[in-house]
Amino acid sequence: MPKFSLKIFLPAAGLGERLRPITYHIPKPLLPVLGRPLIEITLKKFSAVSSARIGINLHYKPEMIKEWIKSSVYAARVELFPEDPILGTGGALKNAEEFLSDSHFLVHNADILSDIDFVQLIGTHLASENIATLATHDYPKYNNVVIDDNGYVIDVENPGTSTPNPDRLARKVAYTGIAVYSPEILKFLPDGVSHATVAWLAAARAGHKVQALDFTGCYWNDIGTPASYASAIINALRNEGETVYIHPLVKKCTSAEIDGYIVIEGENELGQNVSLRNCIVLEGSKIENSLSYENCILGPDFKIELNESEILHSDESGILIGTGGSARKYYRTKKDGKTAVLMKCREGDADYHRHIKYTKFFLNHNIPVPQLIEATPEKMSAIFEDLGDISLYSWLKCRRNPEDVEEMYRKVLNIDVQIHTGATANVSECPMLQSRLFDYEHYRWETGYFIERFVEGVRNIKPKNLSALQNEFHKIASKADSYPKTVIHRDFQSQNIMIHKGIPRLIDFQGARMGLPAYDVASILWDPYYRLEDGMRESLLGYYMDKMKNANSSAAAFAKADMPTHPALILCRLQRHMQALGAYGFLSSVIGKKYFLKHIPEGLRLLKEDVALVKDDYPELYGLVMGL
């Protein structure tokens, strides 16, 4: 339910000159960010706190903006204010004076993306006697709003340009383009062209309070240049836990070779054998056969080159990569003239030493993992071969031909077979792995994790008969622990398999243990990150079984059985999906990676399928899961 009833005014008349040639085709308010125009992102955020009317001024490409408004859910709430000529940030408000004069109102520039808290901003304004409450932050490049010791505005340097005066020593902040005003502010604006700062300073001189409310630390981006636009899109991808976005209307990208951050908007159709790396493809682009693009924005008749270091998240260690659940940090850096991946672990992270040992062991037995270039144990860091940015999960974002998907999964299952056979046969060479068991205690940890982090933590449900449920968990863990063990990856899912030059390679294997091979099979073929078609899954199960049939390993008995209904596989499906749901709860609620919440529906759907197969054996678990 919306908390407030104040209106919003969106200045949307600008020419977007610094964004040309993009804005020759589309006005700034309609620039897409993962399929949604900037204006829609702002209005959705505003509508969560207020259901009041919306004012928008127009000048450049007004028909395109009108057409979008007409087809949007906001159409009935919008009032338009055409301008010719453009009246500036102050003149726009004066031109809408009749619309704005009856209540407090929020102003939000149409080209701003931020996570500034509207509730805090509006609430502070309404609880104060401010005539204006400006959302500001410490941003040295734009710090030109001079404030006193109490945070009230006393001057603005170079109004209208956001350019500081470096010779002036004073407390200064930058205006974000977001503010809440009392209607009295309008009387301090002249008719015609003006800047909003005119009203701030005139009101302050008249004794009114113009507060600069500090939002330093919040995400903020002024979409003013191609680089800032690309940076905003990449930030949006990272906030979604993604590296690739393909618009649902994209007609064809089946054979595209992709790497880095990839966004393809609209009804685009990519040619055959196109290669893209760190590319934003806007609607109407013509991407012909066998062409390669890197670090650019592509449009109907243009290509804008981008500086990779400007648009990606970086610090002194390099360019930050990866969006998974790990607490370790990974950076793209340079080593001996080539790109490489720097892994930095926290002090005391036992997985660091396992990672180094396991890497050497797996490489010795032809398991395709990244080459270890350098290890520095005293710094808890290591440098590995760079396998790019595209996981199997991201590779599947392009709508691939079914036969290509199945072929890629067969290559992935070949890795699993190598782990379950070759690595297992030689595991005595790696005592650290040989002694690390996926046993009864670990199965019980997983089910406890599921109850604590998902059932209680996400769903806020307390199991009714915990004693009976724990007894069923005991039975599941005991049975699973009774089967022969091989080396298993333990997290063998699509985000831990990199696709490099069309070849799958394995990462994040430091959690490998001696356990049930069926656990890996369940992890990849019943993966909440990507739903395989049932017929393809059955075919892939058969492929794995055929590969394992003649293997001289303890996994052979599992493979020779009727795998789809093998008790070990069903137990592993149960365990795996409970563990995954627990992880999604922990990562979203405790670590703050909210994007894992989007995987819960598929994880829960799979778990419900699992328990339906064993409802007579585990009725308490069946009842709990079906009620989630």
Side-chain angles (χ1 to χ4, degrees):
M1 194 71 176
K3 185 176 178 65
F4 305 106
S5 60
L6 80 173
K7 297 174 182 176
I8 187 173
F9 187 85
L10 268 70
L15 302 177
E17 293 171 288
R18 291 181 298 152
L19 274 161
R20 291 173 178 168
I22 300 171
T23 46
Y24 284 140
H25 299 272
I26 185 169
K28 274 203 294 185
L30 298 186
L31 288 175
V33 176
L34 310 190
R36 297 167 58 206
L38 287 172
I39 191 172
E40 179 183 342
I41 295 170
T42 299
L43 291 180
K44 182 177 180 181
K45 181 179 175 182
F46 168 72
S47 295
V49 300
S50 176
S51 57
R53 291 184 60 75
I54 299 161
I56 302 174
N57 70 340
L58 300 175
H59 175 79
Y60 183 64
K61 295 190 179 293
E63 295 307 319
M64 291 183 71
I65 297 176
K66 286 179 183 177
E67 190 60 32
W68 181 84
I69 292 168
K70 183 180 176 181
S71 62
S72 77
V73 296
Y74 309 104
R77 294 166 57 193
V78 172
E79 187 165 336
L80 300 175
F81 297 91
E83 296 179 10
D84 192 10
I86 293 177
L87 297 172
T89 57
L93 300 181
K94 192 68 172 179
N95 187 50
E97 185 168 13
E98 185 176 345
F99 173 76
L100 298 172
S101 61
D102 60 349
S103 68
H104 302 275
F105 57 92
L106 173 71
V107 172
H108 192 299
N109 290 354
D111 56 359
I112 296 296
L113 277 180
S114 83
D115 61 6
I116 286 172
D117 186 348
F118 284 178
V119 172
Q120 182 185 353
L121 176 64
I122 296 167
T124 298
H125 178 83
L126 295 179
S128 72
E129 296 179 352
N130 296 340
I131 195 170
T133 306
L134 316 178
T136 61
H137 56 170
D138 183 14
Y139 201 127
K141 180 180 177 181
Y142 299 129
N143 283 355
N144 74 326
V145 179
V146 183
I147 59 176
D148 65 19
D149 291 341
N150 296 312
Y152 294 104
V153 176
I154 55 176
D155 197 9
V156 179
E157 299 172 345
N158 303 308
T161 66
S162 298
T163 304
N165 176 4
D167 298 325
R168 182 176 185 179
L169 297 178
R171 282 189 70 193
K172 292 187 279 189
V173 293
Y175 175 51
T176 63
I178 306 169
V180 182
Y181 293 107
S182 299
E184 289 78 16
I185 196 74
L186 299 167
K187 68 183 181 183
F188 293 99
L189 285 167
D191 291 328
V193 179
S194 72
H195 194 275
T197 55
V198 170
W200 302 353
L201 299 179
R205 285 193 294 268
H208 293 281
K209 293 192 294 186
V210 178
Q211 182 181 0
L213 189 61
D214 186 18
F215 284 94
T216 300
C218 291
Y219 173 75
W220 178 87
N221 195 328
D222 170 15
I223 315 296
T225 65
S228 64
Y229 177 44
S231 178
I233 288 173
I234 290 167
N235 183 75
L237 277 171
R238 292 187 66 84
N239 283 343
E240 292 291 324
E242 305 287 352
T243 57
V244 174
Y245 170 80
I246 310 293
H247 193 284
L249 295 179
V250 170
K251 296 177 181 177
K252 190 175 182 182
C253 65
T254 55
S255 65
E257 181 177 324
I258 56 177
D259 197 13
Y261 291 94
I262 299 295
V263 171
I264 306 177
E265 296 281 3
E267 297 186 47
N268 280 301
E269 182 171 341
L270 275 62
Q272 293 292 313
N273 303 313
V274 168
S275 176
L276 301 171
R277 181 177 180 275
N278 292 333
C279 289
I280 298 162
V281 183
L282 297 177
E283 186 166 10
S285 301
K286 297 175 177 62
I287 312 299
E288 298 179 358
N289 293 349
S290 304
L291 293 180
S292 297
Y293 300 92
E294 184 172 359
N295 297 325
C296 63
I297 300 174
L298 300 169
D301 55 11
F302 62 82
K303 174 186 176 185
I304 302 173
E305 301 285 353
L306 299 169
N307 184 322
E308 184 172 353
S309 62
E310 284 184 14
I311 62 174
L312 300 182
H313 299 248
S314 62
D315 60 26
E316 70 279 358
S317 298
I319 295 172
L320 185 65
I321 59 176
T323 59
S326 173
R328 291 171 291 281
K329 289 189 176 181
Y330 297 89
Y331 299 88
R332 179 158 289 114
T333 186
K334 289 281 188 179
K335 183 67 176 178
D336 299 329
K338 296 180 180 180
T339 64
V341 172
L342 168 65
M343 178 184 76
K344 298 181 78 171
C345 299
R346 296 173 313 206
E347 190 66 36
D349 184 352
D351 278 346
Y352 170 80
H353 300 287
R354 278 193 286 272
H355 202 146
I356 303 304
K357 292 278 190 183
Y358 290 6
T359 297
K360 294 175 180 178
F361 171 67
F362 283 147
L363 287 171
N364 283 342
H365 295 285
N366 300 313
I367 307 299
V369 301
Q371 292 286 336
L372 174 64
I373 298 171
E374 178 181 293
T376 313
E378 63 272 18
K379 293 183 179 179
M380 297 293 285
S381 67
I383 297 176
F384 294 93
E385 175 188 7
D386 186 1
L387 299 182
D389 299 287
I390 299 301
S391 64
L392 175 61
Y393 169 77
S394 296
W395 183 84
L396 290 162
K397 294 288 183 179
C398 276
R399 280 165 285 285
R400 309 285 178 177
N401 293 323
E403 54 269 27
D404 294 333
V405 172
E406 184 162 358
E407 178 58 27
M408 184 61 76
Y409 268 86
R410 289 186 174 204
K411 292 178 181 178
V412 169
L413 287 172
N414 287 342
I415 301 174
D416 217 14
V417 170
Q418 287 176 269
I419 293 171
H420 296 165
T421 58
T424 300
N426 296 281
V427 72
S428 60
E429 297 174 15
C430 187
M432 184 180 283
L433 175 53
Q434 187 179 31
S435 63
R436 192 166 168 80
L437 302 181
F438 197 130
D439 56 10
Y440 175 88
E441 293 299 327
H442 198 81
Y443 289 121
R444 290 306 308 270
W445 178 87
E446 285 190 337
T447 49
Y449 191 51
F450 166 67
I451 295 298
E452 178 186 2
R453 297 300 183 185
F454 182 72
V455 177
E456 297 177 350
V458 174
R459 288 295 197 251
N460 198 28
I461 292 173
K462 291 283 187 182
K464 294 178 181 178
N465 191 343
L466 187 58
S467 176
L469 186 64
Q470 295 291 7
N471 185 53
E472 291 182 1
F473 286 156
H474 164 74
K475 288 167 59 179
I476 292 171
S478 298
K479 286 184 180 179
D481 191 30
S482 69
Y483 289 98
K485 295 176 174 61
T486 70
V487 175
I488 64 170
H489 180 282
R490 199 208 58 80
D491 198 16
F492 196 70
Q493 42 87 357
S494 57
Q495 293 204 20
N496 285 335
I497 296 156
M498 305 303 292
I499 307 300
H500 185 57
K501 297 181 179 179
I503 299 170
R505 307 273 290 278
L506 199 58
I507 62 169
D508 209 17
F509 45 80
Q510 65 280 350
R513 291 174 177 261
M514 300 298 295
L516 251 174
Y519 195 93
D520 279 353
V521 175
S523 298
I524 190 64
L525 297 186
W526 281 267
D527 183 1
Y529 293 130
Y530 183 77
R531 186 189 296 193
L532 283 168
E533 187 268 328
D534 289 345
M536 185 180 294
R537 182 188 291 118
E538 186 175 342
S539 172
L540 290 168
L541 274 167
Y543 177 82
Y544 172 87
M545 182 166 60
D546 289 342
K547 283 285 183 179
M548 293 287 291
K549 268 181 180 176
N550 299 317
N552 183 22
S553 86
S554 56
F558 162 65
K560 290 175 181 177
D562 185 5
M563 274 191 21
T565 58
H566 192 287
L569 182 59
I570 294 173
L571 291 173
C572 286
R573 284 169 55 181
L574 281 169
Q575 284 283 154
R576 178 60 185 175
H577 296 138
M578 285 191 283
Q579 185 277 336
L581 289 168
Y584 300 155
F586 174 75
L587 291 167
S588 60
S589 301
V590 179
I591 304 302
K593 297 184 177 184
K594 299 296 184 185
Y595 49 79
F596 280 98
L597 291 171
K598 68 186 176 186
H599 302 298
I600 285 177
E602 179 63 8
L604 188 54
R605 184 192 72 83
L606 288 167
L607 182 57
K608 288 183 177 181
E609 280 189 357
D610 303 336
V611 296
L613 296 172
V614 291
K615 62 181 180 180
D616 294 336
D617 296 322
Y618 308 107
E620 197 67 34
L621 178 59
Y622 174 78
L624 172 67
V625 170
M626 298 308 286
L628 293 173

